[in-house]
């Protein structure tokens, strides 16, 4: 057993309203530079739909991820090392910019500089790639809310697999949103495809990063990733990818996309896994077995053996505790409602999804039946083959069994909680029908519906002692170390500017957001004149009166 | 004059080449890339780039053999003057034509495909100018000198190559170069010019040819400690215009 820790995410798709806040805030934080205009580390796709980049899921075309060769061994679908080097001069499987979309801006100055004239001036779209006028024909989200899907959706690679059954008629459609970031896979094919070895997985938290100093622009990783979550910055000539907001994670904060998610549907936490089992699990013969195989790789953080091995492997105590409180572990292993996205790519993805019940609920509602009735919902789940087969193509390589089970759990939760919310006696038969106890069902409801910030995000901060060699810590030769009392002269705010670093982030944040004075102990001796409106004399404006002398 | 052209200039260029690479590697790893333009265009690149690169690898290999292996050695292993000549000319011609045609496609693509052209830096243009001159002169020397024997036969292995080895041994003999035909002299001089430019162009990518990929494990693990924290190395001098 080789225990490793992995930062992971689960998204509850029922709650996604497709507002794209996550994409926008992520873009503002990470990809607002030239060369990254077309890059969305987080994107939200309407499904069914073509996705971004277009039809990225068609691995017969793009050859991303891993596959089993004839002898049952795990190999890169895009070809092994020799083939990669042989085709390095022109990558045969690189999506062109058109496959993502040609980024543009508008020629706003024609609006502001226009003289008085009869016709309103028009700001033309200008390509950010060629600088020329362009016609906008596609974007990262062109088929949002099924817009234009009658023309395009039949090219959805997942729909194609169940295609002959689907007619894209308005009354029969279903749709949901799929927010996507890099999966921070346990067996990342992006890293395996990188000729320079610039893409690495962090030992501490499993975050997959591109070393910008080692990347040489061979652009093989873009093809290697089946989720197309590596992007080529066309100005710097280097690959870039979702960082899982590692500077935030290191100080215990959730990623920007999670923090800003309007639906509060994202969960972040640790998973412990057995690194020795990853390759064998990824090489599971049957595609349908991959979901279970990956669950087998995860370790039970409550198991004393696992805890002992984890500590031996250098995983700190508070990290093990965080793994025990991990909402990810609960959703994946305890309640078994989260499923991996495209396990058949065999990269062992670590951003999992709770499939949406809404396509089912919507149909029941449209028929005028009670959409919170267990009988109705269960019957609909059994009857609505197309949405469910579609979900299965996304989350279980086409195996409808696990998807059925998850949806029934969600449906049962809906019915069970209705009774409670209406003040009726809870019906223990409902959880029992999906193999759960009443208590479990209620806990699952709490986690899915009302979990607070610190229950949704259980992120242990990185250890400062590990980071001791970080540059910011070179403050060891401070002024006071030379005997100068400078830092004490004017209180804690003086002295050399304190760099914001992993180690002091929490302290600085507390100080900035606290509504009390920094040191409550001597509160009565101090006052913040900037906050004083000139009226009265707040405590601390004058030194305390001497009572006896 | 000969001393200047065939001793001073080459050494200056060689020094720039070596020192430039060390400097760039230390201060501009972030700028050390092929700066691939395949995202913009791949139809022409698919033909041009492999043609150019495979041709170029052949050309480089040919130069290593032609310049560094003395004639006496090949004679000693029993390769006759004539056999060597035929093989070298045939191989050189094949690789040279591939490189030349590939380069023409790449330059045509750079100039005519809008996005690729606007991503072309001034340094790219200078580099292509030198590259084109050197490759064209090299082809001329092969065709004119060795096949059509314009201006008499010239065995570079008794002239240029000997000079080159003397140059590398730091005992340069400029007179050998002075006697070489003009085509060879110019080819060598422009090639040294290209070497001097090399560290400051995208050509640095040649030195990171990823042969290590063949032997390293697929997945690379690294600990957090190895990172430099928030420090970013300064940007390279070859700024990418915004
Ligand atoms: C030996 C290993 C080499 C490798 C692996 C290699 C790889 C590459 C790659 C991947 C590109 C980017 C193509 C693209 O997507 O736009 C490139 C471009 C280029 N390489 Fe190389 N190269 C090598 C050697 C050379 C040599 C020996 C030369 C010439 C002396 C050279 C000259 C160029 C030039 C001029 C370009 C720019 C092409 C363009 O976009 O116009 N390379 N190389
Ligand atoms: S999803 Fe992320 S970690 Fe997985 S292969 Fe793609 S880029 Fe790599
Ligand atoms: S911010 Fe949340 S609700 Fe909005 S699109 Fe993103 S994941 Fe969905």
């Amino acid at each position: 057993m080789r225990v490793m820790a992995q930062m992971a995410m689960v998204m509850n798709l029922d709650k996604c309203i497709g507002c794209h806040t996550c994409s926008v805030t992520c873009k503002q934080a990470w990809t607002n530079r030239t060369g990254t205009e077309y890059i969305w580390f987080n994107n939200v796709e309407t499904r069914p739909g073509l996705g971004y980049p277009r039809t990225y899921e068609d691995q017969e075309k793009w050859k991303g991820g891993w596959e089993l060769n004839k002898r049952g061994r795990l190999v890169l679908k895009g070809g092994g090392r020799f083939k990669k080097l042989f085709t390095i001069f022109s990558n045969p499987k690189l999506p062109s910019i058109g496959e993502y979309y040609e980024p543009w801006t508008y020629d706003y100055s024609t609006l502001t500089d226009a003289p008085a004239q009869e016709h309103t001036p028009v700001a033309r779209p200008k390509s950010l790639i060629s600088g020329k006028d362009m016609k906008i024909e596609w974007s990262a989200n062109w088929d949002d809310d099924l817009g234009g899907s009658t023309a395009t959706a039949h090219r959805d690679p997942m729909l194609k697999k169940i295609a002959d059954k689907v007619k894209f008629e308005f009354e029969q459609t279903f749709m949901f949103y799929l927010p996507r970031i890099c999966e921070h896979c346990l067996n990342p094919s992006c890293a395996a495809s990188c000729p320079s070895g610039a893409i690495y997985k962090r030992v501490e938290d499993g975050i997959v990063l591109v070393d910008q100093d080692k990347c040489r622009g061979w652009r093989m990783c873009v093809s290697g990733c089946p989720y197309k979550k590596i992007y080529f910055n066309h100005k710097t000539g280097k690959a870039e990818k979702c960082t899982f907001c590692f500077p935030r994670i290191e100080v215990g904060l959730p990623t920007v996309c999670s923090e800003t998610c309007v639906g509060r549907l994202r969960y972040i936490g640790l998973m412990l896994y057995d690194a020795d089992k990853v390759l064998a699990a990824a090489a599971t013969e049957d595609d349908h077995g991959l979901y279970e195989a990956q669950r087998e790789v995860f370790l039970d953080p409550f198991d004393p053996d696992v805890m002992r091995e984890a500590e031996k492997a250098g995983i700190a105590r508070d990290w093990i505790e965080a793994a025990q409180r991990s909402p990810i572990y609960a959703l994946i292993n305890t309640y078994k409602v989260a499923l991996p996205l495209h396990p058949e790519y065999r990269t062992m993805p670590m951003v999992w999804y709770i499939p949406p019940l809404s396509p089912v609920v919507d149909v029941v509602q449209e028929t005028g039946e009670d959409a919170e009735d267990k009988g109705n919902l269960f019957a609909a789940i059994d009857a609505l083959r197309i949405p469910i087969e579609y979900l299965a193509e996304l989350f279980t390589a086409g195996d409808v069994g696990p998807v059925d089970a998850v949806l029934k759990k969600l449906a049962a939760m809906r019915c069970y909680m209705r009774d409670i919310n209406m003040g009726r006696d809870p019906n223990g038969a409902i959880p029992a029908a999906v193999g759960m106890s009443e208590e479990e069902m209620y806990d699952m409801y709490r986690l899915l519906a009302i979990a607070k910030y610190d229950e949704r995000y259980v992120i242990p901060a990185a250890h400062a002692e590990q980071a001791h060699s970080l540059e910011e810590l070179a403050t060891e030769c401070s002024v006071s170390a030379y005997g100068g009392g400078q830092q004490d002269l004017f209180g804690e705010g003086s002295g050399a500017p304190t760099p914001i670093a992993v180690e002091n982030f929490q302290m600085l944040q507390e100080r900035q957001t606290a509504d009390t004075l920094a040191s409550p102990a001597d509160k009565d001796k101090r006052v913040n004149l900037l906050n004083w409106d000139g009226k009265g004399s707040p405590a601390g404006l004058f030194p305390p009166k001497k009572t006896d002398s | 004059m000969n001393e200047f052209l065939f001793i001073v200039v080459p050494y200056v260029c060689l020094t720039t080449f070596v020192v430039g690479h060390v400097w760039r590697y230390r201060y501009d790893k972030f700028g050390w890339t092929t700066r691939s333009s395949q995202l913009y265009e791949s139809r022409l690149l698919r033909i041009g780039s492999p043609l150019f690169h495979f041709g170029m690898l052949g050309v480089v290999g040919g130069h290593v053999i032609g310049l560094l292996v003395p004639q006496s050695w090949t004679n000693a292993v029993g390769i006759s003057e004539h056999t060597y000549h035929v093989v070298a000319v045939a191989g050189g011609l094949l690789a040279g034509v591939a490189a030349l045609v590939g380069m023409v496609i790449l330059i045509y693509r750079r100039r005519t495909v809008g996005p690729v052209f606007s991503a072309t830096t001034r340094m790219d243009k200078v580099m292509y100018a030198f590259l084109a001159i050197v490759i064209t002169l090299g082809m001329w020397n092969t065709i004119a000198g060795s096949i059509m024997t314009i201006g008499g036969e010239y065995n570079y292995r008794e002239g240029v190559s000997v000079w080159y080895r003397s140059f590398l041994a730091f005992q340069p003999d400029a007179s050998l170069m002075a006697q070489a035909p003009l085509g060879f002299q110019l080819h060598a001089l422009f090639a040294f010019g290209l070497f001097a430019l090399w560290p400051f162009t995208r050509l640095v990518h040649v030195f990171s040819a990823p042969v290590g990929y063949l032997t390293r494990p697929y997945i690379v693990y690294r600990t957090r400690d190895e990172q430099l924290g928030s420090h970013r190395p300064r940007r390279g001098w070859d700024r990418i215009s915004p």
Side-chain angles (χ1 to χ4, degrees):
Chain A
M1 193 188 326
R2 192 156 55 92
V3 185
M4 288 186 84
Q6 168 80 37
M7 220 19 108
M9 189 186 283
V10 168
M11 301 191 214
N12 182 358
L13 293 185
D14 254 334
K15 290 191 178 184
C16 181
I17 58 171
C19 62
H20 301 268
T21 308
C22 44
S23 309
V24 172
T25 50
C26 171
K27 192 153 187 43
Q28 290 292 357
W30 290 105
T31 54
N32 54 355
R33 298 156 284 133
T34 46
T36 62
E37 304 92 349
Y38 78 100
I39 300 175
W40 298 84
F41 288 167
N42 181 107
N43 76 295
V44 184
E45 307 166 354
T46 301
R47 302 316 296 265
L50 298 194
Y52 157 82
R54 251 177 344 223
T55 70
Y56 69 93
E57 284 157 306
D58 185 354
Q59 300 313 338
E60 291 322 303
K61 178 171 177 199
W62 298 116
K63 304 277 181 204
W66 306 86
E67 66 181 358
L68 294 184
N69 67 7
K70 286 194 197 75
R71 283 176 295 140
R73 287 196 45 210
L74 198 63
V75 293
L76 284 173
K77 198 173 177 82
R81 301 168 198 263
F82 283 103
K83 184 169 177 206
K84 284 254 147 58
L85 290 193
F86 192 72
T87 54
I88 199 168
F89 304 120
S90 161
N91 182 342
K93 295 291 173 198
L94 192 79
S96 71
I97 188 79
E99 234 80 46
Y100 297 89
Y101 71 99
E102 189 167 344
W104 69 88
T105 183
Y106 291 93
D107 177 16
Y108 293 108
S109 62
T110 53
L111 302 183
T112 52
D113 298 350
Q117 60 190 68
E118 193 185 339
H119 300 290
T120 320
V122 176
R124 293 248 186 89
K126 294 264 183 210
S127 165
L128 286 170
I129 298 285
S130 65
K132 306 252 165 55
D133 280 342
M134 67 174 274
K135 187 163 176 267
I136 301 169
E137 284 175 310
W138 195 258
S139 76
N141 210 35
W142 197 248
D143 46 3
D144 205 10
D145 290 348
L146 299 184
S149 287
T150 41
T152 57
H154 59 90
R155 286 168 57 206
D156 176 343
M158 294 301 109
L159 211 52
K160 267 187 194 159
K161 295 195 178 169
I162 52 174
D164 35 336
K165 301 174 208 159
V166 185
K167 288 193 206 65
F168 241 80
E169 282 157 23
F170 189 68
E171 314 81 63
Q172 294 184 9
T173 54
F174 62 98
M175 81 169 213
F176 58 94
Y177 302 104
L178 182 70
R180 292 201 303 124
I181 62 171
C182 161
E183 297 277 347
H184 296 278
C185 308
L186 299 184
N187 184 28
S189 54
C190 57
S193 309
C194 170
S196 327
I199 303 182
Y200 61 98
K201 195 167 176 61
R202 292 214 298 193
V203 175
E204 291 83 359
D205 49 19
I207 294 176
V208 177
L209 295 172
V210 183
D211 184 336
Q212 292 291 308
D213 278 351
K214 277 182 99 183
C215 171
R216 300 280 170 257
W218 307 122
R219 36 114 180 85
M220 285 308 190
C221 52
V222 181
S223 318
C225 170
Y227 302 91
K228 291 292 167 282
K229 278 294 170 189
I230 295 237
Y231 302 89
F232 194 76
N233 179 328
H234 59 93
K235 277 287 184 267
T236 62
K238 305 235 161 171
E240 294 192 22
K241 68 180 289 299
C242 159
T243 61
F244 215 84
C245 292
F246 71 88
R248 291 173 59 91
I249 294 287
E250 283 173 6
V251 296
L253 291 173
T255 63
V256 169
C257 54
S258 309
E259 176 88 81
T260 58
C261 175
V262 172
R264 301 187 176 185
L265 55 88
R266 299 188 184 219
Y267 298 80
I268 296 178
L270 278 180
M271 285 301 261
L272 297 183
Y273 69 100
D274 186 349
D276 287 336
K277 283 198 199 156
V278 170
L279 283 183
T284 304
E285 206 178 312
D286 180 12
D287 277 357
H288 288 182
L290 281 163
Y291 157 58
E292 274 303 323
Q294 185 167 358
R295 271 194 344 97
E296 297 292 314
V297 172
F298 300 137
L299 296 170
D300 178 359
F302 297 96
D303 181 340
D305 282 346
V306 172
M307 287 163 70
R308 195 171 342 101
E309 286 297 320
E311 258 173 274
K312 257 196 237 159
I315 297 175
R317 189 75 214 177
D318 57 332
W319 277 54
I320 298 173
E321 279 161 15
Q324 293 172 342
R325 287 186 293 123
S326 166
I328 311 301
Y329 184 79
L331 293 170
I332 292 179
N333 264 2
T334 314
Y335 307 126
K336 299 198 183 65
V337 285
L339 302 172
L341 180 65
H342 291 305
E344 72 274 24
Y345 298 161
R346 299 173 185 275
T347 62
M348 302 274 120
M350 286 308 293
V351 173
W352 288 37
Y353 294 87
I354 305 177
L357 186 65
S358 59
V360 177
V361 174
D362 289 348
V363 167
V364 178
Q365 246 156 11
E366 271 159 30
T367 60
E369 300 285 337
D370 179 359
E372 290 185 333
D373 176 79
K374 170 170 163 282
N376 288 346
L377 284 174
F378 275 38
I381 292 171
D382 289 332
L384 285 173
R385 287 296 82 187
I386 288 168
I388 289 165
E389 278 174 28
Y390 187 84
L391 289 175
E393 290 297 341
L394 287 184
F395 300 119
T396 50
D399 183 7
V400 288
V403 176
D404 260 353
V406 173
L407 292 185
K408 285 194 170 152
K409 275 184 190 162
L410 297 178
M413 184 180 85
R414 205 177 148 88
C415 312
Y416 179 73
M417 286 313 298
R418 202 240 317 241
D419 285 338
I420 294 184
N421 291 337
M422 307 281 274
R424 291 188 290 226
D425 281 340
N427 178 359
I430 299 179
V434 290
M436 292 173 84
S437 72
E438 286 193 64
E439 202 184 337
E440 268 182 322
M441 178 127 290
Y442 189 76
D443 286 346
M444 181 170 92
Y445 160 75
R446 271 196 50 85
L447 184 56
L448 289 185
I450 51 180
K452 293 276 176 294
Y453 192 88
D454 55 358
E455 292 167 87
R456 279 181 282 132
Y457 310 127
V458 180
I459 307 167
H463 279 273
E465 60 272 21
Q466 292 170 354
H468 204 68
S469 55
L470 287 184
E471 196 156 277
E472 282 84 349
L473 276 197
T475 47
E476 275 150 354
C477 64
S478 66
V479 186
S480 47
Y482 289 112
Q486 182 74 27
Q487 290 186 326
D488 307 320
L489 270 185
F490 302 108
E492 63 203 332
S494 61
T498 322
I500 295 193
V502 179
E503 294 69 36
N504 57 16
F505 179 86
Q506 290 292 7
M507 186 267 287
L508 287 176
Q509 193 201 30
E510 268 164 33
R511 227 171 67 195
Q512 279 160 5
T513 54
D515 45 14
T516 55
L517 283 166
S519 166
D522 63 352
K523 194 174 178 175
D524 52 340
K525 289 187 225 131
R526 299 200 276 165
V527 71
N528 185 347
L529 285 174
L530 290 176
N531 292 345
W532 184 46
D533 62 0
K535 290 180 197 152
S537 61
L541 186 62
F542 299 108
K545 285 203 184 79
K546 290 195 176 99
T547 41
D548 56 356
S549 73
Chain B
M1 189 62 194
N2 283 333
E3 272 73 31
F4 176 73
L5 282 182
F6 301 117
I7 296 178
V8 179
V9 171
Y11 275 123
V12 170
C13 292
L14 186 72
T15 313
T16 320
F17 181 83
V18 173
V19 177
H21 275 104
V22 172
W23 171 80
R24 177 119 189 236
Y25 191 76
R26 291 188 53 175
Y27 289 102
D28 186 30
K29 286 202 196 76
F30 183 56
W32 194 291
T33 159
T34 64
R35 246 186 30 262
S36 162
S37 53
Q38 197 180 349
L39 200 62
Y40 306 132
E41 200 280 346
S42 73
R43 209 175 41 87
L44 285 170
L45 187 83
R46 179 153 308 161
I47 310 165
S49 183
L51 211 53
F52 171 76
H53 276 99
F54 285 122
M56 220 41 220
L57 291 181
V59 169
V60 172
H63 277 73
V64 169
I65 298 172
L67 289 178
L68 297 185
V69 179
Q71 198 164 352
S72 52
W73 292 15
T74 45
N75 287 346
V77 285
I79 301 172
S80 80
E81 182 70 45
H82 182 71
T83 322
Y84 181 90
H85 187 73
V86 169
V87 171
V89 169
L93 212 54
L94 196 70
V97 168
L100 190 66
V101 173
M103 188 185 63
V104 170
I105 297 175
L106 286 177
I107 294 178
Y108 170 80
R109 170 176 176 273
R110 285 245 151 229
R111 186 64 199 83
T112 56
V113 179
V116 183
F117 187 54
S118 50
T120 304
T121 64
R122 203 173 301 151
M123 213 55 206
D124 284 337
K125 292 174 193 165
V126 176
M127 172 202 76
Y128 264 125
F130 270 81
L131 210 53
I133 295 172
V134 175
I135 294 181
T136 316
L137 283 171
M139 283 309 285
W140 170 256
N141 290 341
T142 311
I143 296 172
S146 302
I147 300 175
M148 289 151 47
T149 55
I150 297 170
E153 191 134 3
Y154 176 69
N155 185 353
Y156 64 86
R157 300 183 78 207
E158 282 165 357
V160 178
S161 302
V162 181
W163 164 77
Y164 190 71
R165 287 195 296 274
S166 72
F167 168 77
L168 285 187
F170 296 107
Q171 286 158 348
D173 181 356
S175 64
L176 284 166
M177 239 358 231
Q179 290 152 17
L182 184 64
F184 281 89
Q185 292 178 341
L186 288 177
H187 178 69
L189 280 176
F190 275 102
F192 271 105
L194 184 63
F195 289 147
L197 287 170
W198 201 285
F200 313 108
T201 65
R202 67 166 74 207
L203 291 179
V204 291
H205 74 270
V206 177
F207 291 97
S208 20
V211 280
Y213 184 50
L214 294 175
T215 50
R216 76 143 217 266
Y218 264 145
I219 315 288
V220 179
Y221 289 92
R222 266 166 65 174
T223 59
R224 210 163 72 85
D225 302 24
E226 279 179 42
Q227 287 168 284
L228 290 168
S230 56
H231 172 76
R232 276 256 140 256
R234 269 182 300 143
R235 244 189 119 94
W237 62 279
D238 191 355
R239 279 188 73 94
I240 295 140
S241 53

